[in-house]
Amino acid sequence: YIEYIAVVGGIIAEGGTIDAPLLIKKGHSARAVVDKKEGKSAITTYEPLEVIGKKTKLKVIIATGKTHQIRAHMKYIKHPILGDTLYGGGEAKRVMLHSYMLRLLGMEFCAKEPKDFTLHE
């Protein structure tokens, strides 16, 4: 179980689940695209934590672990992660995606949310 925090463009008022198969295109670098014919199952659940201006901070949990899954799924629902220019995200100093909590073998590890994830006008 891995829980992420993401800051995305736009307002997401309610949580949801994205069940959209991903195809990983490999070349100079990997890139994931939603492909309902050739893609493999990928499920992402998200829940808004905070909305400020035209940005939303989300808790994101993936049921599958595909390359760039969160990044591709957020683009698919038209709320790309800020700083993620590969997937259409708006400007930020970095990709605003943080691995917050990992549960493994009965243990839990938390990585404090970075200060730049605090939303403000």
Side-chain angles (χ1 to χ4, degrees):
Y1 174 90
I2 304 175
E3 184 177 309
Y4 295 86
I5 302 288
V7 179
V8 300
I11 297 169
I12 299 178
E14 295 182 10
T17 299
I18 304 163
D19 185 352
L22 294 176
L23 178 64
I24 311 305
K25 294 186 173 188
K26 295 186 179 175
H28 180 63
S29 63
R31 184 179 171 118
V33 294
V34 172
D35 186 319
K36 296 188 181 197
K37 289 183 181 179
E38 295 182 38
K40 298 203 179 194
S41 176
I43 300 169
T44 302
T45 303
Y46 59 92
E47 178 184 322
L49 299 173
E50 184 178 5
V51 176
I52 300 284
K54 294 182 180 178
K55 299 182 272 190
T56 304
K57 185 187 321 183
L58 300 172
K59 173 170 85 171
V60 182
I61 298 168
I62 55 174
T64 51
K66 303 289 183 251
T67 301
H68 296 190
Q69 177 174 324
I70 296 170
R71 298 168 70 188
H73 274 172
M74 291 297 108
K75 177 182 178 175
Y76 178 69
I77 65 167
K78 300 189 177 12
H79 291 283
I81 298 169
L82 294 181
D84 188 3
T85 56
L86 181 64
Y87 288 92
E91 277 192 44
K93 291 182 181 177
R94 66 184 183 98
V95 175
M96 299 298 283
L97 179 63
H98 172 67
S99 179
Y100 175 69
M101 183 190 342
L102 168 67
R103 286 192 191 129
L104 182 67
L105 303 171
M107 295 183 285
E108 183 175 290
F109 304 92
C110 277
K112 195 172 162 181
E113 186 178 310
K115 290 179 184 172
D116 58 350
F117 275 59
T118 301
L119 299 184
H120 48 76
E121 292 286 347

